[in-house]
Amino acid sequence: MRQVDPAVESAVPVRLTQCAHGGGCACKIPPGELEAMVAGLMPGPSGGGADGDRLLVGLDDVDDAAVVGTSDGSALVSTADFFTPVVDDARDWGRIAAANALSDVYAMGGRPVVALNLLGWPRDVLPAELAQEVLAGALEVAGKAGCFVGGGHSIDSSEPLYGMAVTGLVDPDRMLRNDAGRPGVPLTLTKPLGVGILNNRHKRTGEVFPHAVASMAALNDRAGAAALEAGAVCATDVTGFGLLGHLHKLARASAVTAVVDSAAVPVLDGARESLRAGYVSGGTRRNLDWVRPHLDAGRTSDDELLVLADAQTSGGLLVAGELPGHPAIGELVPAVAGTTLVIR
C-alpha cells in the first residue's frame, strides 16, 4: 500500500463537497416522493387528538414549519433542517446551514429563540477540527439572529451532515402561511436565484463564488419583518424545490394560480452562464419535472425554466405582497383549472 507523508497529506485542503453525493438543499428527497411519504399521516390541523386544535399549522399544506398555540394566546413555531456540504469551507457551510434553518421561522413571520445542532460526521474521514469550524460558523449566524444555541445531537455518519432544529415565537394573528394567498396580490422575491447552479459548479470545479456564499449566509430576518410590516399574510421561503416548486405549493394551497414574469426574477451573476456550461444539479431537473404538469410555460426556454426551478440553499422569502427594496416578480390570479404556474 502506498504510504502518504502526513505533512504532504495535511497540506492538501479538504474539499467537503467531495465527501457527499449531493450538496445543500439539492440533496432533498424529490418533492413528489416526499409528498407520497407523508400522505395520510395527518388529516389536518385538528387531527392531533384532544388538543389537536392547538396545532395551527401542520402537515396538511406542507408549510415551512409547524405552529402550536399555547395557553396564553401566543404560539410556538418549530422546524428542523440539515444537509450535506454545499461549499468546501467548513465555517461557511455552518453559516449557510444556520441561516437556512432559521429561515423557516422567518418565513412563518416568527422570531427564533433557541436552536439545537444536528451533526453527522464521518470521524474516520474528516478531522474533528473541521466539525468545530462548522459549529462555530453556525453559532456566529445564530448570534446575529439573537437565537440561543443549546447543544444538540451528533452521530458518526458516512457523509457529513449539518443543520439545526429551531424553536421560535410567532403571533398567531400575524402569521405568514403558504395557504393564505389571494388573487390580485403581487409576488415579491427577496434574494436572487442561482445559488444551486453556482454551488454545482463549485462542487465540480472547486471555483469559489463569494457572492453566492454571501447570499446564502444572509438572514431572512429583515425580509420577514418587512413582510409583516407591509401587512402580508402569505409567504414561503425558496429552498430545495426551487422558485417554481415552492410557488406551486403556495398556489395549490391557496387555490390560486401564480403568474411569473421571468424577466423580473433576479439571478446571481454567473448563474446563467454556468447553466449553459452544463452545471445543473439533478435536484433542479427533478423540480422542473415535478411542476411541468401544472405549468403553462408559453415560449419560455428550458434553460430559463431550469433557472426558475434551480434548487436553492438558504434562498430568499417569496412573499404575496409588496416589499420596498425588493422586486415584484409576478402576481396571484384566480385559479386556472389544472394550472398553478404561468410563466410570461
Side-chain angles (χ1 to χ4, degrees), residues 274-292:
S274 297
L275 183 145
R276 289 193 290 269
Y279 297 104
V280 182
S281 70
T284 292
R285 295 190 185 279
R286 290 190 292 271
N287 289 342
L288 183 54
D289 289 342
W290 182 54
V291 301
R292 273 194 192 276

Side-chain angles (χ1 to χ4, degrees), residues 4-339:
V4 179
D5 183 341
V8 174
E9 187 177 33
S10 64
V12 178
V14 174
R15 291 205 58 206
L16 286 173
T17 57
Q18 303 307 297
C19 298
H21 72 286
C25 288
C27 66
K28 277 187 172 182
I29 292 174
E33 290 183 27
L34 182 60
E35 289 194 344
M37 286 181 192
V38 301
L41 293 181
M42 192 178 79
S46 61
D51 293 325
D53 56 350
R54 291 175 56 191
L55 184 60
L56 306 180
V57 179
L59 278 175
D60 46 322
D61 284 317
V62 198
D63 216 321
D64 294 297
V67 179
V68 179
T70 63
S71 58
D72 65 359
S74 62
L76 297 176
V77 54
S78 182
T79 184
D81 213 314
F82 62 92
F83 46 69
T84 53
V86 68
V87 292
D88 290 326
D89 184 277
R91 187 174 287 254
D92 280 346
W93 176 31
R95 293 168 60 228
I96 292 165
N100 181 74
L102 293 163
S103 180
D104 283 342
V105 175
Y106 297 130
M108 301 299 297
R111 175 177 62 85
V113 176
V114 63
L116 301 175
N117 294 301
L118 303 173
L119 177 69
W121 202 251
R123 295 170 48 253
D124 295 334
V125 177
L126 295 175
E129 290 78 9
L130 281 181
Q132 187 175 36
E133 279 292 290
V134 175
L135 297 172
L139 188 62
E140 174 190 331
V141 167
K144 290 180 180 179
C147 178
F148 297 108
V149 179
H153 186 67
S154 62
I155 63 169
D156 187 347
S157 62
S158 59
E159 293 186 346
L161 303 165
Y162 179 70
M164 285 179 154
V166 186
T167 300
L169 296 172
V170 66
D171 183 342
D173 296 322
R174 298 186 69 210
M175 279 196 298
L176 300 172
R177 302 177 56 124
N178 72 353
D179 63 354
R182 298 294 178 263
V185 179
L187 291 167
T188 300
L189 183 64
T190 67
K191 284 187 185 181
L193 303 182
V195 294
I197 297 166
L198 295 178
N199 288 342
N200 187 261
R201 184 166 185 162
H202 171 66
K203 179 179 175 66
R204 289 164 61 180
T205 69
E207 296 173 78
V208 178
F209 301 97
H211 62 305
V213 172
S215 179
M216 291 184 286
L219 290 168
N220 281 324
D221 54 346
R222 293 183 180 179
L228 292 175
E229 182 67 23
V233 295
C234 178
T236 187
D237 63 346
V238 179
T239 55
F241 301 151
L243 173 64
L244 293 185
H246 289 284
L247 185 52
H248 165 65
K249 293 202 302 176
L250 184 152
R252 183 182 60 185
S254 299
V256 296
T257 292
V259 178
V260 176
D261 177 2
S262 62
V265 177
V267 178
L268 288 170
D269 289 344
R272 285 194 169 93
E273 294 83 351
S274 297
L275 183 145
R276 289 193 290 269
Y279 297 104
V280 182
S281 70
T284 292
R285 295 190 185 279
R286 290 190 292 271
N287 289 342
L288 183 54
D289 289 342
W290 182 54
V291 301
R292 273 194 192 276
H294 317 282
L295 173 66
D296 176 359
R299 297 183 178 179
T300 309
S301 69
D302 273 2
D303 275 2
E304 187 63 19
L305 291 176
L306 284 169
V307 171
L308 298 178
D310 185 38
Q312 304 299 282
T313 296
S314 192
L317 298 191
L318 176 63
V319 180
E322 290 188 59
L323 270 64
H326 299 287
I329 63 165
E331 63 176 334
L332 299 179
V333 300
V336 176
T339 302

